[in-house]
Amino acid sequence: NSINSQSDIFINISIQNAANLTDFIRTWNNTNHSFYNASLVLSFNFDNVEEIGETTATAVDTSSHGNNGVISGPRYTPFAKYSSALTFDGVDDLVSVIDRSRSGDPSLDFTDAITVSAWIQYSNNKTQNILSKSGSYRIYTQAASGKAVFSLVGPTVSSITGISNLADGQWHHIGGTYKNESTANNFR
């Protein structure tokens, strides 16, 4: 007969035979929420899990596309929102993923819709790339405002800016969604 006002719920799930996983859906209040399906093209957990092939130099893509990343500079830290994270110096640290679209795998290219997201802990008012694909899409923090910006690059640049200053040293989940529709509000 007590009420728990905790806003986070941590669920630890182990999946056996993950190579056969096609969908992972949670149903809450009669609404389905997809965690994993064929539309997921890149997912890093940054936990340095040896069992899936992660090392201090390799971030394993847990989607079915195998867009693994090369870690150059950042270090793992146990001080994270969940489990562990990578700490970037804000100068030249990065995780790079090979663009395989030229070799027949367009998984990181988008045509009509895209959603990108990340957990970040940001404590300086510097412009910082969070994630980007050259000539296509980018999430970054603005130096002057500390806000996140989701930007699409093409014949013209379109973007949407968040409403909160994230430079408070706390963990924030940021993201952007774009869907090519005839309506005026294509960004979220």
Side-chain angles (χ1 to χ4, degrees), residues 30-157:
N30 296 318
T31 302
N32 289 335
H33 302 274
S34 289
F35 284 98
Y36 183 94
N37 62 28
S39 69
L40 181 66
V41 297
L42 181 67
S43 177
F44 293 136
N45 61 35
F46 295 132
D47 284 336
N48 197 8
V49 178
E50 194 175 295
E51 291 80 8
I52 64 170
E54 289 183 317
T55 67
T56 57
T58 303
V60 171
D61 173 21
T62 58
S63 81
S64 62
H65 292 276
N67 291 309
N68 294 342
V70 176
I71 300 170
S72 302
R75 303 280 183 242
Y76 280 97
T77 177
F79 304 106
K81 178 71 175 175
Y82 301 105
S83 197
S84 64
L86 288 177
T87 298
F88 296 81
D89 66 8
V91 178
D92 58 359
D93 288 358
L94 59 92
V95 176
S96 58
V97 176
I98 294 173
D99 183 0
R100 299 180 313 168
S101 61
R102 289 182 213 91
S103 63
D105 179 4
S107 62
L108 296 177
D109 298 336
F110 80 96
T111 53
D112 292 326
I114 185 171
T115 298
V116 293
S117 66
W119 277 100
I120 67 166
Q121 185 182 39
Y122 175 63
S123 59
N124 61 38
N125 277 359
K126 291 172 46 178
T127 297
Q128 300 287 312
N129 274 325
I130 307 303
L131 62 89
S132 67
K133 180 174 185 220
S134 296
S136 189
Y137 48 86
R138 175 180 177 208
I139 289 185
Y140 63 97
T141 54
Q142 275 182 335
S145 67
K147 296 177 182 178
V149 179
F150 175 47
S151 173
L152 297 177
V153 180
T156 60
V157 175

